[in-house]
Amino acid sequence: MKLEEKTVKKNYVYNGRIINVRCDDAELPTGKPCKREVVEHNGGVCIAPITDNNELLFVRQFRYPYMQVISELPAGKLEKGEDPLECGKRELMEETGCIADEIFSLGKFYPSPGYCGEIIHLYAAKGLKFVGQKLDEDEFLNVEKIELDKAVEMIMNDELRDGKTQAAVMKLKILADGGKL
């Protein structure tokens, strides 16, 4: 069965600093016309800094859409054309104050593929050295250490709800359990 849809016309409804929103005219695989709502986003990076004691560095910050403080791994948005690894290094240093001897990919994450084109690049960082936080002027967060097994437990107990954080933590756990971390 044919699965691909065709974009007939892109119709921008909103152009913002972080996202653009479209309501496209499209065509189903059968040829029937349809509308598709799309949120465009440059993408982002999530980095899982893990200490020699198997502790992850999390950031606690207020997230306006949910009107609550949540714990998540350090992350940030990509600037147009920015290399994801360089963005990960920048976010690690800005948010946690750390640099890493080793950073490796944990793959990519599609946060909500039904309407959003954002791709989040997942990384892990080892061999951490503290050099000092450099938060943006509109960034307010606290850094906390959570042991890897405890983070998995918190995910399973619905205490860590951020999707990118869940994906990175679970991938790290599988690597650790397989002796590959």
Side-chain angles (χ1 to χ4, degrees):
M1 174 191 315
K2 185 178 172 188
L3 301 175
E4 289 80 19
E5 297 179 5
K6 179 182 169 189
T7 303
V8 176
K9 184 178 179 202
K10 292 182 179 181
N11 304 301
Y12 284 87
V13 227
Y14 175 77
N15 290 302
R17 189 175 58 86
I18 297 174
I19 63 165
N20 297 324
V21 179
R22 305 187 330 245
C23 184
D24 292 355
D25 297 315
E27 191 176 278
L28 296 172
T30 60
K32 183 178 176 181
C34 65
K35 296 280 188 186
R36 290 291 181 245
E37 296 174 359
V38 178
V39 174
E40 293 179 343
H41 187 283
N42 285 340
V45 169
C46 174
I47 189 154
I50 190 156
T51 69
D52 294 338
N53 295 328
N54 236 21
E55 298 166 312
L56 290 163
L57 300 184
F58 279 80
V59 295
R60 287 187 52 76
Q61 60 187 325
F62 181 78
R63 288 303 196 179
Y64 189 85
Y66 301 104
M67 299 306 286
Q68 62 181 254
V69 174
I70 66 170
S71 292
E72 59 189 289
L73 291 172
K77 69 179 181 66
L78 285 164
E79 300 302 327
K80 194 169 191 104
E82 184 178 21
D83 176 66
L85 178 59
E86 292 307 310
C87 178
K89 290 176 182 178
R90 182 188 75 239
E91 292 298 333
L92 175 65
M93 196 269 299
E94 286 178 2
E95 294 189 1
T96 69
C98 290
I99 57 172
D101 289 336
E102 180 185 356
I103 297 177
F104 57 93
S105 176
L106 293 173
K108 295 177 185 173
F109 179 76
Y110 294 172
S112 195
Y115 66 89
C116 185
E118 180 181 15
I119 298 171
I120 299 176
H121 302 263
L122 305 174
Y123 292 97
K126 293 170 45 176
L128 305 176
K129 292 176 185 63
F130 186 76
V131 295
Q133 258 180 333
K134 291 190 169 69
L135 298 175
D136 294 333
E137 70 176 28
D138 63 347
E139 203 167 27
F140 305 91
L141 56 84
N142 294 324
V143 178
E144 64 182 349
K145 292 179 183 177
I146 301 174
E147 201 276 325
L148 178 59
D149 286 336
K150 176 66 175 169
V152 170
E153 182 183 312
M154 291 172 74
I155 289 169
M156 298 309 293
N157 289 334
D158 199 30
E159 296 172 59
L160 293 175
R161 295 181 176 171
D162 177 60
K164 66 188 179 305
T165 294
Q166 290 181 356
V169 167
M170 298 309 279
K171 285 184 170 200
L172 273 179
K173 175 65 173 158
I174 290 168
L175 288 173
D177 286 353
K180 297 178 182 172
L181 184 57

